[in-house]
Amino acid sequence: MKNLFIKGAISPEFIAISIAKHQSKKTIGAHNIFLGQVRADMVGENTVKAIEFSCYQEMAEKEMVALRETAFKKFNLTCMHIHHSIGEVKVGEICIFVFVSAPHRKNVYKATEYIVEQVKTNVPLFGKELFYSNTHQWKQNK
Amino acid sequence: MKNLFIKGAISPEFIAISIAKHQSKKTIGAHNIFLGQVRADMVGENTVKAIEFSCYQEMAEKEMVALRETAFKKFNLTCMHIHHSIGEVKVGEICIFVFVSAPHRKNVYKATEYIVEQVKTNVPLFGKELFYSNTHQWKQNK
Amino acid sequence: MIRITVKYYGEVAEKAQKEEEIINIEESNTQAILDYLKQTYGLAQEVKVAVNLELVTSATTIESTDEIAILSQFAGG
Amino acid sequence: MIRITVKYYGEVAEKAQKEEEIINIEESNTQAILDYLKQTYGLAQEVKVAVNLELVTSATTIESTDEIAILSQFAGG
């Protein structure tokens, strides 16, 4: 899988290029995209200014490959791309980009949702929430 | 609603700009985007080369405003944008762009799906499927 | 009899070969318009009728100042 | 007793103040590693253990050549 992990934030331009690459695929009728953006969450008196992501790379790649195979079969997709940031992503920036494409729209929403949930549950990614006060806490997925 | 109707295809760059505009909104955690792309469908011996969209504009705008209000209430969204092409959109190009944003991911998939279905059902848009043979047929939504 | 402006959209406009016309109908209701469309252009019941930007699904009384539009099947997205 | 390399990720690496170490444990299973982590770094049971890139949820026999990683809660997305 190419560019599974992106250093820093995922830019809108990167997303545009990814979309543009699909315009030669003439059987695709529907795309669904999920983007996760870093929120300025308040934690007690602190406010998140960025999240610093790290991962256990070998295992993360293995899980992503498995997820990819499962999702392709489950949802009959034409294309599927997953990108996740590694390193610091500031508030307002994008840290996860899931992009699925299929001939018809029916399954694309569920496919994206499934992939996002699986990434959150099964892929060994870790997030340190950095506060403006220069303290931090470890992100817990809900 | 700004730029509800776009002349011709919706470009990846337009989508990127729309995404970038949301990076100042620090309470958003999740975006979901639906893109409809024109397929090279075969109809008997003919193949679609483009769809020419037209609309009953006053009614379409009224329906879109109503849809927008309903969707905001129903899904607790922070932002919502809908754009649809008018005029010719070639195979491989994008003709509908639905973009919803919320603090958390839970509802965004359903929101996008709901909006797309409502646009297809309630908004007076018409599509002429143009074939390579220079004949055409009127698109029927399934 | 009333005199009314009717707008055509999508396939309806193609079949009527016009986007708008002024017609005279005997009865002041939408069924009379559908009858006219069937007789004149061979348009059957699959068309939708909007009165003042709202779809109507059964015969509805109309006035000459109403905005009447005849629409073919919606095909957005 | 076996001698084993253990990798630390996320909050675990922070608490251990290292990303990897070689430890000696009496029993050749993952429970012995968890006991070591608790004793040495005060790490409780919320950590995950991966053996050769697979999570294990109960005490699992290990060999010195296995790749052992201790992970804090996953927080992707």
Side-chain angles (χ1 to χ4, degrees):
Chain A
M1 289 173 85
K2 279 188 303 179
N3 302 324
L4 190 53
F5 299 111
I6 307 277
K7 205 171 172 310
I10 298 166
S11 70
E13 294 70 31
F14 181 88
I15 297 162
I17 291 166
S18 195
I19 294 167
K21 279 182 186 160
H22 290 77
Q23 304 210 311
S24 59
K25 309 218 168 169
K26 319 255 164 164
T27 61
I28 290 175
H31 301 289
N32 193 260
I33 292 172
F34 178 86
L35 303 172
Q37 185 166 303
V38 176
R39 275 192 318 272
D41 275 353
M42 298 269 296
V43 181
E45 299 200 331
N46 290 309
T47 305
V48 172
K49 71 169 178 184
I51 299 179
E52 192 184 311
F53 288 101
S54 58
C55 75
Y56 177 16
Q57 191 164 346
E58 300 89 324
M59 182 175 162
E61 282 176 359
K62 181 185 140 278
E63 290 294 334
M64 288 285 208
V65 168
L67 167 54
R68 196 178 156 80
E69 272 178 36
T70 311
F72 260 120
K73 275 185 210 147
K74 204 173 162 75
F75 299 103
N76 236 321
L77 303 172
T78 309
C79 288
M80 169 181 155
H81 303 275
I82 312 173
H83 304 279
H84 199 291
S85 295
I86 293 296
E88 200 174 311
V89 182
K90 293 188 184 69
V91 158
E93 292 181 333
I94 289 159
C95 61
I96 180 170
F97 170 29
V98 174
F99 184 9
V100 308
S101 310
H104 298 275
R105 70 190 184 282
K106 188 164 177 289
N107 277 329
V108 296
Y109 314 98
K110 277 200 197 70
T112 313
E113 180 168 18
Y114 174 83
I115 294 163
V116 172
E117 296 309 309
Q118 293 294 309
V119 168
K120 286 184 176 262
T121 311
N122 296 333
V123 181
L125 283 150
F126 313 98
K128 210 160 113 176
E129 292 176 329
L130 310 177
F131 300 133
Y132 284 100
S133 56
N134 288 326
T135 55
H136 71 267
Q137 77 170 13
W138 288 85
K139 181 171 177 260
Q140 310 266 330
N141 273 352
K142 280 173 211 149
Chain B
M1 290 173 83
K2 279 188 304 180
N3 301 325
L4 189 52
F5 299 110
I6 306 277
K7 204 168 173 305
I10 297 165
S11 70
E13 293 70 33
F14 181 88
I15 296 162
I17 291 166
S18 195
I19 293 167
K21 280 182 186 160
H22 289 76
Q23 304 211 310
S24 59
K25 309 216 169 173
K26 318 256 169 181
T27 61
I28 290 175
H31 301 289
N32 193 260
I33 292 173
F34 178 85
L35 303 172
Q37 185 166 303
V38 176
R39 274 192 318 275
D41 275 354
M42 298 268 295
V43 181
E45 301 201 328
N46 290 308
T47 304
V48 171
K49 71 169 179 184
I51 299 178
E52 192 184 310
F53 288 101
S54 58
C55 75
Y56 177 16
Q57 191 165 344
E58 300 89 322
M59 182 174 163
E61 282 175 358
K62 180 185 142 281
E63 291 294 333
M64 288 286 208
V65 169
L67 167 54
R68 196 176 155 81
E69 273 178 35
T70 311
F72 260 120
K73 274 185 211 150
K74 203 174 165 74
F75 299 102
N76 235 321
L77 303 173
T78 307
C79 288
M80 170 181 153
H81 303 275
I82 311 174
H83 303 280
H84 199 290
S85 295
I86 293 296
E88 200 173 311
V89 182
K90 294 189 184 68
V91 159
E93 291 182 333
I94 290 159
C95 61
I96 181 169
F97 170 28
V98 173
F99 184 8
V100 309
S101 310
H104 298 275
R105 69 190 183 282
K106 189 164 177 285
N107 277 329
V108 295
Y109 315 96
K110 277 200 198 71
T112 313
E113 180 168 17
Y114 174 84
I115 294 162
V116 172
E117 296 310 307
Q118 293 294 310
V119 168
K120 286 184 176 263
T121 312
N122 296 335
V123 180
L125 284 150
F126 313 99
K128 210 159 113 176
E129 292 177 326
L130 310 178
F131 300 132
Y132 284 99
S133 57
N134 288 323
T135 55
H136 71 266
Q137 78 171 11
W138 289 85
K139 182 171 176 261
Q140 310 266 327
N141 274 353
K142 278 172 216 152
Chain C
M1 197 192 80
I2 68 163
R3 187 173 170 77
I4 197 151
T5 304
V6 186
K7 295 176 171 194
Y8 300 135
Y9 288 93
E11 192 171 5
V12 174
E14 182 181 73
K15 289 206 170 147
Q17 291 183 283
K18 52 182 77 90
E19 294 185 347
E20 190 173 317
E21 72 179 317
I22 296 164
I23 62 172
N24 296 309
I25 47 175
E26 291 299 319
E27 305 279 327
S28 303
N29 64 50
T30 53
Q31 186 54 51
I33 299 175
L34 290 174
D35 293 344
Y36 169 85
L37 294 171
K38 191 168 184 187
Q39 218 165 14
T40 317
Y41 305 115
L43 282 164
Q45 301 296 344
E46 75 272 13
V47 301
K48 295 171 191 276
V49 182
V51 178
N52 299 326
L53 311 183
E54 289 283 353
L55 288 184
V56 299
T57 48
S58 55
T60 301
T61 305
I62 50 175
E63 291 176 33
S64 60
T65 51
D66 286 335
E67 176 165 335
I68 310 294
I70 313 299
L71 317 169
S72 58
Q73 200 189 317
F74 296 177
Chain D
M1 197 191 84
I2 68 164
R3 186 173 170 77
I4 198 151
T5 303
V6 186
K7 296 179 171 189
Y8 300 135
Y9 288 93
E11 192 171 5
V12 174
E14 182 181 74
K15 289 206 170 145
Q17 291 183 282
K18 52 181 78 88
E19 293 185 347
E20 189 173 315
E21 72 178 317
I22 295 164
I23 62 172
N24 296 309
I25 46 175
E26 291 299 322
E27 306 279 328
S28 303
N29 65 49
T30 54
Q31 186 55 50
I33 300 176
L34 290 174
D35 293 344
Y36 169 84
L37 294 171
K38 191 170 184 185
Q39 218 165 12
T40 317
Y41 306 116
L43 281 164
Q45 302 296 342
E46 76 272 12
V47 301
K48 295 170 193 275
V49 181
V51 178
N52 299 326
L53 312 182
E54 290 284 351
L55 288 185
V56 298
T57 48
S58 55
T60 301
T61 305
I62 50 175
E63 291 174 33
S64 60
T65 52
D66 286 336
E67 176 165 336
I68 309 293
I70 312 299
L71 316 170
S72 58
Q73 200 187 317
F74 297 178

